[in-house]
Amino acid sequence: MGLLSKNRGALLILVFNLFLVFSGIGLIVPIMPKFMESLGITGGIMGLLVAAFSLTQLLCSPLAGRLADSFGRKRMIVIGLTVFAFSEVLFGIASSPALLFVSRLLGGISAAMIMPAVMAYAADITTKEERAAGMGYINAAITTGFIIGPGIGGYIAEFGIRVPFYAAAVAGILAACITLLILRESLPSKENIADTSSDVREWGGLLSQLRYAYKEPYFLSLIIVFVMSFGLANFETIFGLFVDHKFGFGPKDIAFIITFGSIAGAVVQATAFSWIMKRFGEQRIISLCLIFASLFILLTLFVHTFWLIFAVTFIIFLAIDILRPAISTQMSMVAKDQQGYVAGLNSAFTSLGNVVGPIVAGFLFDLDVNYPYTLACIILFLCFVLSVKGKKNNSQKVNATS
């Protein structure tokens, strides 16, 4: 009841902020074809624009996570929303690819500032019993934003091709003002002071933090985060080309499959995720989701009818949508007073997967239409084996200390 009553207002503001940001990111989907045509942008530049966002998010996430621990969650969220609004304005006024790149780079920075701070804030205001539900709501907001963003962008674009970006900028400023005036800081001042004297390695750059990450108890979870985002980016990047080349599916067929699977995942995250976590536990859920995703991606290579493709894809999306908050919950449990730092690493490994996944998938697709999904299946299965070994190691440590 604590999550649904005492901290309901704060959680709603966090959910709204994430929904807004990821809806703004999704706005680009239906509008970019006309931008590409009007500005003479090639497909290669379009791919680089997508990678630019994930790259700056990757580079800035660890530092942003540490700043959330020392500078304050609320302050980072407000600044991130302001940067997000400015990036949307730049995209709206852009008349050259160079300005579009600046906009996307700033967009990645804003996401890096917002995501770790929001995750850390959610961990601050929830008990261990409430943590899964809080992470479920947050990840549902992200998923829903990705689903609704393109639809909103397509509708608002009827008033002008650049209007959606201005609308997103106004909403970003509005969200920043609401956060500044209403949301209370969740990080106690004494923790602020303590964190500033933390181990110097936590203040290091991205490479330094990634180098030390392997020593942490949540390193396996970070590897799973990378593999998950790599697999998801791999799957989504190639899915349209895959079913077009192999089955002749049209845009409406592809949109229906992806949208329905994403909506179902968001519903599960918002409603049943907490019960699932309490019933089976984080470690078991992570292992089950990895093996299901691996097997059903493999099945994608052998099914042929529309409804079989739909069913298989539905299971894949559902498994990944449950896996994401499960890993976030598991890492938040061991992060203790480093919630922002761990959330920053979580975001960094996610971005790394989002950068590498589409590049590798595209290269493999040029070689053979089946290669990207074959690789995704193998990697997810190996990750499943790692998660099972990690579970056994944790059990042995618990038995040794008891």
Side-chain angles (χ1 to χ4, degrees):
M1 288 298 293
L3 180 65
L4 298 178
S5 55
K6 182 180 178 181
N7 296 310
R8 177 186 293 177
L11 189 63
L12 284 176
I13 294 175
L14 296 179
V15 167
F16 173 73
N17 288 343
L18 282 185
F19 171 77
L20 172 74
V21 170
F22 283 91
S23 294
I25 295 169
L27 289 175
I28 195 175
V29 176
I31 299 169
M32 274 312 295
K34 288 188 177 180
F35 260 84
M36 292 173 64
E37 183 179 339
S38 62
L39 299 179
I41 298 175
T42 64
I45 294 178
M46 175 60 185
L48 291 173
L49 282 171
V50 174
F53 183 97
S54 296
L55 182 61
T56 50
Q57 184 179 10
L58 164 67
L59 295 174
C60 297
S61 287
L63 176 59
R66 285 304 305 150
L67 288 175
D69 280 339
S70 61
F71 197 53
R73 325 307 197 194
K74 174 180 175 178
R75 199 173 297 177
M76 291 298 291
I77 294 171
V78 172
I79 295 174
L81 287 168
T82 305
V83 174
F84 165 76
F86 181 64
S87 72
E88 293 294 329
V89 170
L90 280 183
F91 211 99
I93 65 174
S95 58
S96 67
L99 204 53
L100 294 179
F101 273 105
V102 173
S103 169
R104 290 295 92 187
L105 290 169
L106 286 174
I109 293 172
S110 71
M113 297 176 78
I114 295 169
M115 282 295 295
V118 167
M119 291 293 188
Y121 196 112
D124 292 339
I125 65 173
T126 56
T127 64
K128 289 185 177 181
E129 293 74 21
E130 299 167 342
R131 190 72 48 80
M135 293 298 175
Y137 287 129
I138 286 173
N139 282 278
I142 295 172
T143 304
T144 307
F146 272 128
I147 297 168
I148 294 179
I152 295 175
Y155 176 77
I156 300 179
E158 296 293 323
F159 300 96
I161 193 65
R162 298 174 186 268
V163 174
F165 299 105
Y166 300 141
V170 171
I173 292 297
L174 179 62
C177 291
I178 292 174
T179 303
L180 181 64
L181 297 174
I182 299 177
L183 194 68
R184 294 182 177 180
E185 177 56 61
S186 66
L187 187 65
S189 57
K190 63 180 181 180
E191 290 187 19
N192 270 345
I193 298 171
D195 274 350
T196 57
S197 61
S198 296
D199 192 331
V200 67
R201 66 181 172 84
E202 295 178 352
W203 280 99
L206 172 67
L207 293 179
S208 175
Q209 291 186 352
L210 295 181
R211 184 182 67 193
Y212 283 107
Y214 79 94
K215 298 179 180 179
E216 305 290 356
Y218 42 77
F219 179 66
L220 179 60
S221 295
L222 290 172
I223 294 299
I224 295 174
V225 166
F226 168 74
V227 173
M228 175 195 69
S229 59
F230 175 93
L232 181 58
N234 186 310
F235 179 77
E236 289 185 332
T237 301
I238 296 301
F239 181 76
L241 293 173
F242 179 80
V243 295
D244 174 66
H245 280 63
K246 203 163 186 177
F247 310 114
F249 284 7
K252 289 184 178 179
D253 298 325
I254 297 169
F256 175 78
I257 292 173
I258 293 177
T259 301
F260 188 89
S262 299
I263 291 174
V267 170
V268 170
Q269 287 175 349
T271 57
F273 179 73
S274 180
W275 177 85
I276 293 173
M277 294 295 286
K278 290 179 181 178
R279 177 68 176 81
F280 299 101
E282 296 95 346
Q283 191 63 50
R284 186 177 297 176
I285 289 298
I286 290 171
S287 297
L288 286 174
C289 287
L290 284 168
I291 191 63
F292 268 94
S294 173
L295 292 177
F296 278 82
I297 286 177
L298 180 64
L299 281 177
T300 307
L301 303 178
F302 299 100
V303 294
H304 299 287
T305 67
F306 174 82
W307 289 110
L308 281 176
I309 288 287
F310 172 82
V312 168
T313 307
F314 172 78
I315 297 298
I316 295 170
F317 271 105
L318 193 60
I320 293 175
D321 285 338
I322 295 174
L323 178 61
R324 184 184 291 111
I327 294 173
S328 297
T329 302
Q330 184 187 61
M331 285 195 292
S332 72
M333 292 296 188
V334 298
K336 297 180 181 178
D337 62 343
Q338 296 181 328
Q339 294 293 340
Y341 173 63
V342 174
L345 282 175
N346 186 350
S347 182
F349 274 74
T350 298
S351 299
L352 186 61
N354 289 338
V355 171
V356 178
I359 297 173
V360 173
F363 175 74
L364 290 176
F365 184 82
D366 289 337
L367 296 177
D368 189 283
V369 68
N370 294 317
Y371 284 178
Y373 285 3
T374 303
L375 176 64
C377 171
I378 293 171
I379 290 179
L380 288 171
F381 182 76
L382 290 176
C383 204
F384 161 74
V385 174
L386 284 175
S387 71
V388 172
K389 286 186 176 181
K391 181 180 179 181
K392 290 181 179 179
N393 290 338
N394 290 337
S395 297
Q396 291 173 357
K397 288 180 182 179
V398 171
N399 293 334
T401 56
S402 61

